[in-house]
Amino acid sequence: MHRGKALISHLDSEERDRISASRDFKIPDWRTGDVLKISVADSLSENNIKEWQGLCTYSKARNNIRATCKINFHLLGSNVEYGLPLYSPMLKNFQIAKLGSNMVRNKLNHIRDMNLSAGRLQEPIIKGRNFKPRVGTVKKEQ
């Protein structure tokens, strides 16, 4: 049926679909510059779940099983950058808290060096004069 890289790509897409079907949440269409809210398990046996909310500063292979994002948030007086693979069994929930403008690069290395305040790391990056928000649904907390 397939050979070489085509076979590996086919197996990766089947595995990604299997993981997505087994989860109780769906990964939305996220971009760099959005404010993301993620829930991650410390260990699968203890079931301790931690929630982090911060600015997405890196995205890689968004439609692949190797999809990765890094979020930057404020913790105990310093900026922390946390990266995670999106198809990891440790990921328990993934939401977009605020949408950005989708007009920024895939890597924003300068954000971690800027030492932004906690409030600034909770605001999406909006770039462009005639900003029109992306079409998407963001669930409001009630």
Side-chain angles (χ1 to χ4, degrees):
M1 183 170 123
H2 296 289
R3 288 188 172 169
K5 289 185 179 182
L7 176 63
I8 293 172
S9 176
H10 179 72
L11 293 173
D12 283 349
S13 66
E14 284 181 354
E15 183 69 14
R16 184 188 70 224
D17 294 341
R18 185 188 64 77
I19 291 171
S20 295
S22 68
R23 288 183 167 169
D24 56 347
F25 66 95
K26 185 179 176 190
I27 295 178
D29 186 22
W30 56 279
R31 300 278 196 268
T32 304
D34 294 345
V35 176
L36 303 177
K37 184 176 184 179
I38 60 171
S39 299
V40 181
D42 281 348
S43 69
L44 293 176
S45 62
E46 294 181 15
N47 202 17
N48 291 337
I49 296 176
K50 294 188 177 181
E51 288 191 359
W52 307 110
Q53 181 171 337
L55 182 66
C56 178
T57 58
Y58 175 77
S59 65
K60 177 183 171 188
R62 292 182 337 108
N63 296 323
N64 196 337
I65 195 166
R66 294 172 190 84
T68 305
C69 78
K70 287 185 182 178
I71 63 169
N72 209 333
F73 56 92
H74 201 76
L75 179 68
L76 299 175
S78 64
N79 291 343
V80 177
E81 189 172 55
Y82 182 75
L84 74 152
L86 298 183
Y87 290 96
S88 168
M90 305 299 261
L91 185 67
K92 297 300 178 190
N93 199 0
F94 187 93
Q95 296 176 351
I96 298 175
K98 297 177 186 173
L99 291 172
S101 65
N102 190 24
M103 298 181 69
V104 294
R105 299 172 294 178
N106 284 338
K107 274 177 119 175
L108 302 173
N109 290 332
H110 64 281
I111 298 291
R112 73 179 134 189
D113 298 330
M114 290 175 70
N115 198 18
L116 297 173
S117 66
R120 288 289 307 265
L121 289 175
Q122 299 297 320
E123 292 298 319
I125 296 177
I126 296 177
K127 191 173 181 181
R129 256 183 271 179
N130 301 326
F131 171 67
K132 294 178 184 147
R134 290 196 323 258
V135 176
T137 58
V138 177
K139 293 182 180 177
K140 301 280 183 185
E141 291 185 22
Q142 297 177 3

